Amino acid sequence: MSLTRPAVPAFAAAPVAAVAVALAAVLTALSGRYGFHRDELYFLVAGDHLAWGYVDQPPLTPLLARISTEIFGSTPMGLRVISTITGAATVVVVALIAREFGSERRAQILAAVCAAVSGFVLGVGHMASTATYDLLAWMVISLFAIKLLRTGDGRWWIALGLATGIALQNKYLVVLPLAALLIAVLILGPRSVLRSWWLVVGVLVAAAIAAPNLWWQAAHDWPQLTVAGGISEDDGTENRIMFIPLQILQLSPFLVPIWIAGFLRLWRTPALRWAKPVALTYPVLCVLVLALGGKSYYALPLLLVLVAAGCQPTVDWVTATRRRTFLAVGLVLTALTSALFTLPVLPASAVNFVLPVNQEQGEQIGWPELVDDVANAWQQIPEDQRSRAVIFAGNYGEAGALVKYGPAHGLPAPASGHMSFYDWSRPADTQTGPVLLVELGRNPGYESNFNDCNQVGTVDNRKGVDNEEQGTSLVLCASPKSPWSQLWPNLRQFY
């Protein structure tokens, strides 16, 4: 049954589009600086092994990486074209969400600007990552859910099912905000939207789209659950301690008053009583993420929904108090600080300054240098033994870098037991020669599988960047202790 709701204001299409284009221009101008991120190197290889699933993720991001590089080139700039478009589209959807809450033209534009200058949108828009496409998916799902609540028209469940199904082909995290919204609606209503056959249709649509990946995961004993459990076990305590500070820092401290105003507006405004569960969804989601030991950014997309809701009261306050300059300065400071901490604007040698807040900046630096160092270590293997030798990388970033840059040095394709690399390639039992291990730190457990291991080099990114790979050990072992087919199960690494 449909409910009568006030019509939404006209959409400020032209200025919102201008904000999105400006964001795309900035992201494009900076997309070629530094280099590939470790995850991007992994996606490049995954894109060459297209499947319905991978150990640690569904198939959408590797597929988009393959499409982007096929069209625009296998460079950081070429890989990131679709990510840039996704970031721009996110800005437009945030403005559309503001419109659903009855925000007029100026508030819609402000919502677009706030999204465009926020640290989270800039950070994920800069790189190709599952979080990039996940953010847009959450925004689209939020838009459709808000339309469902505003109109009471059950047919929006079909759109929700379609968006959710596609989102599940990228990341399973989308189930968390949906679960939080369901809890909020059950607590506050309107429960009538749950008493509809359209809900069943929406669930079936989502299930049909997600089915191929779910089938793949089931056929492979649900490895993604193993990965998720390992992340929670390793990082859960730190994630919980840093949850609130990172929520504030990763979006922007300057946007805190706006999203608080948005929460209060949705919670208190009689005309928006239908949207009250949207406000409750955010704290419920935070509780779920904290309980699971998830990362702080898992809940960040819903803060953008609250920002969208808070733009109208912000515009009203600025108009009433004549503090336009105050707002403008705040937005400029947001843009500058967000760019500093999320975009490659600093010289690579100065990146250590931002690493305490955003470690991902450092993970875009030093991969060609790592391969240079591996190549130097490889030269220490006698030439007549190299045909039987193996390079074994400890993680998918190292393996991806060796796949990308190794051929120029005459290096063989690497082996690795990390994530889906384990499934893509395994050394033949005839490869009984030396093994060059690339290890973040000396790992006696790994080295116990090989004979006579000695460190022959250390990775240096030449820029003094204190990233994860800096100081990586290059260890040369005489040979594997057993045939690779017997060793391989011992070398699998899920996290």
Side-chain angles (χ1 to χ4, degrees):
M1 182 180 72
S2 296
L3 301 176
T4 302
R5 303 288 190 197
V8 295
F11 184 49
V16 167
V19 174
V21 169
L23 172 64
V26 170
L27 293 177
T28 300
L30 296 172
S31 63
R33 286 188 53 113
Y34 296 173
F36 291 108
H37 185 274
R38 66 165 57 250
D39 292 352
E40 292 177 321
L41 291 165
Y42 180 48
F43 298 144
L44 289 175
V45 184
D48 290 331
H49 296 82
L50 292 178
W52 279 113
Y54 302 89
V55 166
D56 54 334
Q57 64 186 302
L60 184 59
T61 296
L63 174 62
L64 292 176
R66 174 73 174 271
I67 292 171
S68 196
T69 52
E70 288 284 344
I71 297 174
F72 302 107
S74 187
T75 64
M77 181 176 287
L79 173 63
R80 292 166 178 169
V81 170
I82 294 179
S83 300
T84 296
I85 295 170
T86 300
T90 299
V91 166
V92 175
V93 178
V94 171
L96 286 169
I97 290 173
R99 175 176 177 255
E100 287 297 314
F101 293 134
S103 300
E104 45 87 12
R105 180 183 180 86
R106 291 177 300 168
Q108 294 172 27
I109 298 169
L110 178 59
V113 171
C114 288
V117 300
S118 68
F120 189 49
V121 173
L122 286 175
V124 301
H126 168 61
M127 297 186 301
S129 70
T130 55
T132 306
Y133 312 118
D134 198 46
L135 174 59
L136 177 59
W138 280 41
M139 292 299 97
V140 171
I141 289 170
S142 296
L143 176 63
F144 292 157
I146 291 165
K147 284 180 174 290
L148 171 66
L149 294 174
R150 182 179 64 82
T151 65
D153 188 343
R155 288 172 294 184
W156 283 109
W157 279 115
I158 299 178
L160 268 169
L162 179 64
T164 300
I166 296 172
L168 286 170
Q169 290 286 13
N170 177 65
K171 209 166 186 177
Y172 292 161
L173 281 179
V174 71
V175 301
L176 291 180
L178 289 171
L181 178 61
L182 176 62
I183 293 171
V185 171
L186 287 172
I187 294 173
L188 298 175
R191 300 182 188 87
S192 59
V193 299
L194 304 177
R195 296 191 294 267
S196 170
W197 283 106
W198 290 113
L199 169 57
V200 177
V201 174
V203 170
L204 290 175
V205 168
I209 297 173
N213 175 251
L214 295 174
W215 182 272
W216 188 96
Q217 285 286 328
H220 291 79
D221 297 323
W222 299 98
Q224 197 162 345
L225 294 180
T226 303
V227 173
I231 292 173
S232 178
E233 182 178 341
D234 282 0
D235 302 330
T237 300
E238 181 182 353
N239 291 341
R240 293 182 179 99
I241 293 172
M242 294 302 296
F243 185 84
I244 293 176
L246 287 179
Q247 286 276 292
I248 295 172
L249 291 173
Q250 289 174 340
L251 191 66
S252 173
F254 298 102
L255 296 180
V256 171
I258 298 180
W259 63 257
I260 290 177
F263 179 88
L264 295 176
R265 180 188 179 205
L266 298 182
W267 192 257
R268 294 176 175 178
T269 305
L272 292 175
R273 183 179 178 184
W274 57 268
K276 200 170 183 178
V278 177
L280 182 60
T281 298
Y282 173 69
V284 171
L285 176 62
C286 290
V287 170
L288 292 177
V289 173
L290 285 168
L292 295 171
K295 299 181 183 296
S296 61
Y297 76 83
Y298 291 0
L300 273 178
L302 289 193
L303 275 184
L304 283 175
V305 174
L306 297 182
V307 166
C311 286
Q312 186 62 59
T314 301
V315 167
D316 293 341
W317 175 79
V318 167
T319 301
T321 59
R322 298 183 180 180
R323 293 186 178 178
R324 292 182 179 86
T325 302
F326 184 83
L327 177 61
V329 170
L331 292 174
V332 169
L333 290 174
T334 300
L336 292 176
T337 54
S338 294
L340 177 66
F341 285 100
T342 64
L343 297 179
V345 295
L346 292 174
S349 58
V351 164
N352 285 343
F353 172 74
V354 303
L355 293 187
V357 175
N358 182 14
Q359 295 181 353
E360 309 309 322
Q361 290 278 63
E363 299 309 316
Q364 301 169 64
I365 296 169
W367 296 109
E369 290 78 8
L370 178 144
V371 178
D372 289 344
D373 292 335
V374 171
N376 291 334
W378 179 259
Q379 293 301 316
Q380 299 184 42
I381 300 174
E383 190 171 355
D384 62 343
Q385 297 181 30
R386 291 176 195 166
S387 63
R388 296 181 292 110
V390 171
I391 300 176
F392 188 88
N395 63 53
Y396 64 58
E398 298 161 353
L402 288 162
V403 171
K404 179 65 178 175
Y405 302 112
H409 295 273
L411 297 177
S416 179
H418 194 211
M419 300 301 186
S420 284
F421 267 99
Y422 177 92
D423 300 312
W424 293 333
S425 177
R426 188 193 75 194
D429 286 345
T430 55
Q431 291 179 272
T432 57
V435 181
L436 179 58
L437 301 178
V438 184
E439 305 180 74
L440 290 181
R442 297 294 297 271
N443 187 329
Y446 264 42
E447 293 180 18
S448 66
N449 294 288
F450 308 99
N451 294 307
D452 191 19
C453 296
N454 296 284
Q455 186 165 342
V456 295
T458 302
V459 170
D460 182 4
N461 56 49
R462 283 57 148 183
K463 298 177 180 66
V465 176
D466 189 22
N467 59 14
E468 188 171 345
E469 302 300 325
Q470 182 72 339
T472 290
S473 301
L474 302 177
V475 178
L476 186 59
C477 305
S479 62
K481 286 185 176 180
S482 305
W484 281 100
S485 58
Q486 295 180 23
L487 287 181
W488 202 239
N490 300 331
L491 301 176
R492 174 147 226 174
Q493 187 177 359
F494 282 105
Y495 40 86

